[in-house]
């Protein structure tokens, strides 16, 4: 059995899902893939079921009734991974903004001592391709803001390309994670930071999606901006329930 599970949350990723799954399975290291689909109307789940005929022991699908947010999709996947005995659990987007080849680098970082390996866009400058300047400034500025508020020494706290060791997800109370949008990525890293897990950043090149539509919207940005302060407040004054 593979020791690593790649969780890919999907909503309307019919243009990408077959290619991303096959690319992961073409890697030298054996990874399993769990797709958590939020009842995509474009047939993403049906495409995964067809792929399962080719990869019955490596590809898994969890269907949810409706679009319920990135964070809850990953929490669902984390719990599934723990229940099925995986040692290394990965987050990865379906749209090739994260290069599947870098999965092995994240895995190696955890094997060599990290508890959490983060695929970082900002560890060595700004490694982002095909983003408009405004989007880069927003993302980079958000990273600086999060570091300032939380005290974390993570250059890319909003990164969504991550490897967790099993013990990390077993230690964190997943039911207490509040954020459901992209701020979920910040909260997970902050909880790891408070638990004193070793977080290591692995420099990657992030390429904006070619196919499909971005899920970014104003509500997600507001959650990240105002939610970080509320999260910091809760971690100080409500430690037992955080």
């Amino acid at each position: 059995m593979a020791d690593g599970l790649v969780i890919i949350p999907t909503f309307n990723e019919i243009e990408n899902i077959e290619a991303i799954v096959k690319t992961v399975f073409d890697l030298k290291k054996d990874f399993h893939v769990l797709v958590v689909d939020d009842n995509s109307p474009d047939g993403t789940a049906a495409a995964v079921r067809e792929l399962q005929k080719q990869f019955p022991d490596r590809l898994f699908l969890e269907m949810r009734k409706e679009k319920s947010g990135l964070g809850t999709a990953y929490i669902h996947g984390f719990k599934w991974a723990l229940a099925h005995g995986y040692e290394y659990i990965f987050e990865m987007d379906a749209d090739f903004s994260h290069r599947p080849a870098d999965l092995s680098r994240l895995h190696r970082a955890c094997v060599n001592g990290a508890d959490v390996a983060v695929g970082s866009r900002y560890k060595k400058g700004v490694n982002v391709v095909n983003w408009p300047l405004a989007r880069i400034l927003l993302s980079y500025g958000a990273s600086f803001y999060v570091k300032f508020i939380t005290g974390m020494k993570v250059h890319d706290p909003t990164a969504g390309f991550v490897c967790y060791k099993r013990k990390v997800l077993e230690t964190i109370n997943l039911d207490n994670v509040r954020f459901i949008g992209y701020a979920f990525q910040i909260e997970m890293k902050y909880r790891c930071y408070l638990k004193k897990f070793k977080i290591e950043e692995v420099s990657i090149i992030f390429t904006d999606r070619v196919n499909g539509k971005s899920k970014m919207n104003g509500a997600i940005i507001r959650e990240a901006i105002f939610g970080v302060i509320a999260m910091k407040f809760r971690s100080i004054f409500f430690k037992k329930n955080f």
Side-chain angles (χ1 to χ4, degrees):
M1 175 180 169
D3 63 355
L5 178 75
V6 182
I7 302 170
I8 303 177
T10 56
F11 184 76
N12 288 347
E13 292 290 355
I14 189 66
E15 296 172 287
N16 295 306
I17 193 61
E18 180 176 355
I20 195 75
V21 167
K22 287 186 174 179
T23 303
V24 172
F25 290 157
D26 282 342
L27 297 174
K28 290 183 178 180
K29 175 168 173 53
D30 182 21
F31 292 101
H32 287 180
V33 172
L34 170 67
V35 175
V36 181
D37 185 71
D38 280 0
N39 200 19
S40 298
D42 70 350
T44 299
V48 174
R49 291 191 187 98
E50 282 299 308
L51 283 170
Q52 285 182 304
K53 296 175 182 178
Q54 298 180 50
F55 310 104
D57 300 319
R58 302 178 69 188
L59 177 60
F60 308 95
L61 173 66
E62 286 287 288
M63 276 281 292
R64 304 201 302 167
K65 293 182 179 180
E66 59 187 6
K67 189 177 181 182
S68 303
L70 180 76
T72 59
Y74 272 127
I75 295 297
H76 185 106
F78 291 161
K79 291 179 177 180
W80 192 96
L82 294 176
H84 288 80
Y86 291 94
E87 187 63 32
Y88 302 96
I89 298 98
F90 299 78
E91 299 178 1
M92 190 176 77
D93 290 348
D95 60 9
F96 284 96
S97 55
H98 304 139
R99 297 190 308 174
D102 289 328
L103 287 167
S104 298
R105 298 175 62 222
L106 297 181
H107 177 261
R108 192 179 311 119
C110 283
V111 169
N112 291 337
D115 298 311
V116 182
V118 178
S120 178
R121 298 163 290 186
Y122 306 129
K123 182 180 180 181
K124 298 179 179 178
V126 178
N127 292 316
V128 176
V129 178
N130 291 339
W131 262 8
L133 180 60
R135 182 77 184 271
I136 293 173
L137 292 175
L138 176 63
S139 176
Y140 194 78
S143 297
F144 180 83
Y145 169 76
V146 170
K147 287 192 290 183
F148 177 76
I149 296 295
T150 64
M152 288 192 294
K153 307 302 181 183
V154 178
H155 297 290
D156 195 357
T158 64
F161 195 21
V162 185
C163 176
Y164 296 96
K165 278 185 177 176
R166 177 185 182 85
K167 67 177 182 180
V168 175
L169 299 182
E170 288 178 328
T171 301
I172 292 173
N173 188 336
L174 298 175
D175 291 328
N176 279 354
V177 176
R178 290 196 179 186
F179 289 139
I180 61 174
Y182 284 84
F184 163 81
Q185 305 293 2
I186 301 168
E187 182 173 357
M188 285 296 297
K189 294 177 187 66
Y190 186 52
R191 288 179 179 273
C192 293
Y193 167 76
L194 292 179
K195 295 287 186 181
K196 301 189 184 304
F197 285 115
K198 182 180 179 181
I199 303 172
E200 180 177 331
E201 290 185 87
V202 176
S203 185
I204 65 163
I205 296 174
F206 179 96
T207 304
D208 195 19
R209 68 163 61 234
V210 174
N211 297 313
K213 295 182 179 180
S214 172
K215 312 303 188 296
M216 182 66 70
N217 58 46
I220 289 171
I221 294 171
R222 287 193 295 273
E223 180 190 57
I225 293 173
F226 299 109
V228 169
I229 295 176
M231 178 186 71
K232 177 70 173 182
F233 182 87
R234 292 198 314 273
S235 72
I236 296 172
F237 297 103
F238 301 96
K239 289 183 179 180
K240 292 183 178 179
N241 296 320
F242 183 74

